[in-house]
Amino acid sequence: MNVIDILARLIAFPSVVGTPNGAIADWIGDYCRKAGAEVTVHPGPEGDRYNLFATMGPRESRGYILSGHMDVVPAGEREWSSNPFVLRAAADRLYGRGATDMKGFLACALAALPTLAAMNLRRPIHLAFSYDEEAGSRGVPHLIAALPKLCNAPLGAIIGEPSRMQAVRGHKGKAAVRLEVIGRSGHSSRPDLGLNAIHAMANLITKVAEYGNSLTSGPFHHDFAPPYSSLQVGVIAGGQSVNIIPDRCTADIEVRAVPGISPSSLLEPVKARLAALRDQGFEVGWHELSAYPGLALPEDSGLAALLKGLTGQEPLTAVSYGTEAGLYQQAGIESIICGPGDIARAHRPDEYIEVGELAACQTMIEKLGASLAEG
């Protein structure tokens, strides 16, 4: 199978975030075994989702991880020109959900395996494919925790998120929470007898939005766009009917922090304002949804130099989107981002990747293998 064949097969699995992924993990595992790799399919605590770890080369030696996620965001937009789970080719573009984010990278890594198998690798290349990255990197922490049993300490990790094949040394950290306000229901004709949870949440969100706007005043880190930390309210839910006083309302918010700022610390003022609603008779809940640290790889790192040699491009300092790279770095593994496609095409209808981008990525992986081979 060539890289396009593999990509078509991967996209045919509707591995939407938060849903069982055994089918795609099993297919990838079988493919890797047939190519000669050692494979471990590692179940997560959910019971129906799996990480996958495969090694080509001597597992006892130190090598490099190629990291990617098997899940994709939903594809319910009406603007899709074709079935998002059937790969469609048009000129040099290949359309489908996950083509860029990030089954294109997975396909390149898998397509390179036969070539890597033919090399006499002195050091291994590991494939580390995770689940539910799009829900805040929920799967990869379990895989990272298992690494000491799966391989020798890695020399570095290449996270194949779409970067137009230009390596990236840094990104912001993120934390997301769900705020919950619980009031008292009743008939809307007697608002004096109830506690309207939506009204309380609306007032809270107004203050939270003002606080979010204050973050534009810094601290600044001008390698990022925008160069400051940010806060967004992304989801609000509550109420049953217009004539019932709503007794419950939730809001999901996220913060993205520039280096040197803890994402969780940015949420502390929000937590305090939520808690203050207890004084008005409301019950409140604070539910952490996801969090991952930022990435900051030094400019003079050996991994940055390696990727410069493999791609022929000077690594970028930073991007504003987040990846699993910060979690690998937090675990003591030098990490960098480099993958095919453009993040601007992700999470939107008619997501696509270019054939040339796939070829460049596969070449990069095979060059990495050649650098680790004998002879």
Side-chain angles (χ1 to χ4, degrees), residues 28-87:
I28 292 173
D30 288 343
Y31 176 94
C32 291
R33 291 186 190 95
K34 291 174 182 176
E38 295 182 63
V39 178
T40 301
V41 177
H42 193 269
E46 298 83 358
D48 60 3
R49 265 153 277 179
Y50 304 87
N51 294 309
L52 181 140
F53 191 82
T55 298
M56 188 68 75
R59 184 171 288 195
E60 66 277 6
S61 298
R62 300 184 66 193
Y64 291 93
I65 287 175
L66 302 180
S67 167
H69 59 85
M70 296 176 281
D71 60 304
V72 297
V73 294
E77 306 96 336
R78 291 174 295 179
E79 296 86 354
W80 278 92
S81 301
S82 57
N83 186 335
F85 296 108
V86 175
L87 189 69

Side-chain angles (χ1 to χ4, degrees), residues 314-345:
E314 193 72 38
L316 288 174
T317 302
V319 291
S320 292
Y321 60 87
T323 76
E324 295 172 336
L327 290 163
Y328 279 100
Q329 184 182 65
Q330 188 178 65
I333 301 169
E334 275 201 333
S335 301
I336 198 165
I337 304 162
C338 188
D342 189 328
I343 195 66
R345 306 175 201 150

Side-chain angles (χ1 to χ4, degrees), residues 37 41 54 118 138 235 241 258 297 318 343:
V41 177
R138 292 181 181 174
V235 179
S241 173
V258 296
L297 182 69
I343 195 66

Side-chain angles (χ1 to χ4, degrees), residues 20-264:
N21 77 332
I24 188 171
D26 286 344
W27 187 89
I28 292 173
D30 288 343
Y31 176 94
C32 291
R33 291 186 190 95
K34 291 174 182 176
E38 295 182 63
V39 178
T40 301
V41 177
H42 193 269
E46 298 83 358
D48 60 3
R49 265 153 277 179
Y50 304 87
N51 294 309
L52 181 140
F53 191 82
T55 298
M56 188 68 75
R59 184 171 288 195
E60 66 277 6
S61 298
R62 300 184 66 193
Y64 291 93
I65 287 175
L66 302 180
S67 167
H69 59 85
M70 296 176 281
D71 60 304
V72 297
V73 294
E77 306 96 336
R78 291 174 295 179
E79 296 86 354
W80 278 92
S81 301
S82 57
N83 186 335
F85 296 108
V86 175
L87 189 69
R88 175 172 64 90
D92 64 342
R93 295 181 177 181
L94 302 167
Y95 293 85
R97 174 56 83 219
T100 277
D101 188 14
M102 60 179 298
K103 290 180 176 178
F105 178 77
L106 304 189
C108 292
L110 295 174
L113 284 184
T115 299
L116 298 179
M119 298 176 178
N120 193 5
L121 294 177
R122 295 178 295 105
R123 295 186 180 275
I125 290 179
H126 310 287
L127 308 187
F129 294 169
S130 65
Y131 69 88
D132 284 3
E133 187 272 348
E134 297 291 4
S137 300
R138 292 181 181 174
V140 78
H142 307 297
L143 181 57
I144 291 173
L147 284 180
K149 297 179 181 179
L150 297 173
C151 65
N152 204 341
L155 295 170
I158 301 169
I159 286 69
E161 292 280 3
S163 68
R164 301 184 66 87
M165 289 307 298
Q166 185 170 12
V168 180
R169 296 189 291 104
H171 65 64
K172 293 181 178 181
K174 174 185 170 180
V177 295
R178 175 167 294 155
L179 315 181
E180 182 179 26
V181 176
I182 301 172
R184 186 169 59 248
S185 66
H187 198 284
S188 62
S189 65
R190 291 299 307 270
D192 54 312
L193 300 180
L195 282 173
N196 192 308
I198 291 179
H199 288 182
M201 183 66 82
N203 290 332
L204 173 63
I205 286 176
T206 298
K207 295 174 182 177
V208 168
E210 291 173 353
Y211 164 63
N213 288 336
S214 74
L215 298 177
T216 63
S217 298
F220 296 103
H221 198 299
H222 291 283
D223 291 327
F224 293 89
Y228 45 80
S229 301
S230 61
L231 180 151
Q232 173 181 279
V233 180
V235 179
I236 300 175
Q240 304 176 64
S241 173
V242 71
N243 61 353
I244 299 174
I245 298 169
D247 64 348
R248 183 175 181 272
C249 185
T250 62
D252 295 356
I253 70 172
E254 68 161 30
V255 290
R256 294 180 183 262
V258 296
I261 303 294
S262 163
S264 297

Side-chain angles (χ1 to χ4, degrees), residues 345-361:
R345 306 175 201 150
H347 298 197
R348 60 187 301 172
D350 286 346
E351 177 182 353
Y352 71 90
I353 198 163
E354 296 176 0
V355 173
E357 292 170 336
L358 295 177
C361 182

